[in-house]
Amino acid sequence: MSTPAPRPSVLFVCVHNAGRSQMAAAFLTHLAGDRVEVRSAGSAPADTVNPAVVEAMAEVGIDISAETPKILTTEAVRSSDVVITMGCGDTCPVFPGKRYLDWQLQDPAGQGVTAVRPIRDEIEHRVRGLLAELGVRT
């Protein structure tokens, strides 16, 4: 009997944890289910998720209306295999043996749903690529 492969763990980080990181975490959860452990956090979390982001995700059938921004903790980084930053750069703690990626994406803060859609679509594209790299089927 073979041992199941360990479940990869991915942490998405942006400043407010109200837009980009929330969309990325939602897409990864939606596409991979329980085959990937997903976290998101912000270095300076907002009070609520951006309403235009909630609306844009609802348009593709993903409900993130109950999500809340979370503070970035050292433990979240330490317990993740892959850490993907989205415009917070140097505020994210760095640990040896972790894989770090920085996704340069426009910030949806203060934008309407029309401006959020292309950001959402780019995030979905990148999440699908990440899943392929991790060897996780969708």
Side-chain angles (χ1 to χ4, degrees):
M1 189 162 126
S2 67
T3 306
R7 196 167 68 132
S9 176
V10 178
L11 169 65
F12 294 102
V13 183
C14 65
V15 176
H16 301 299
N17 190 222
R20 295 165 290 187
S21 55
Q22 290 283 351
M23 288 190 282
F27 272 123
L28 189 55
T29 300
H30 178 74
L31 295 167
D34 61 1
R35 294 183 301 281
V36 177
E37 186 177 358
V38 182
R39 296 180 185 86
S40 73
S43 51
D47 293 330
T48 61
V49 174
N50 179 333
V53 166
V54 172
E55 184 180 341
M57 292 302 287
E59 290 176 355
V60 295
I62 301 174
D63 180 7
I64 63 168
S65 61
E67 295 298 325
T68 55
K70 293 167 272 316
I71 185 74
L72 175 64
T73 64
T74 302
E75 183 50 40
V77 177
R78 187 177 282 128
S79 57
S80 299
D81 300 313
V82 181
V83 179
I84 300 174
T85 57
M86 302 170 169
C88 77
D90 58 354
T91 62
C92 190
V94 175
F95 293 100
K98 304 288 174 203
R99 180 171 172 211
Y100 291 88
L101 300 171
D102 186 47
W103 289 358
Q104 296 293 321
L105 295 159
Q106 185 180 349
D107 188 350
Q111 305 284 335
V113 72
T114 304
V116 172
R117 286 183 189 118
I119 303 167
R120 173 201 66 201
D121 296 344
E122 176 63 19
I123 289 171
E124 180 182 13
H125 174 74
R126 291 182 187 208
V127 165
R128 288 180 181 279
L130 175 67
L131 284 167
E133 287 175 33
L134 293 173
V136 176
R137 279 194 233 125
T138 56

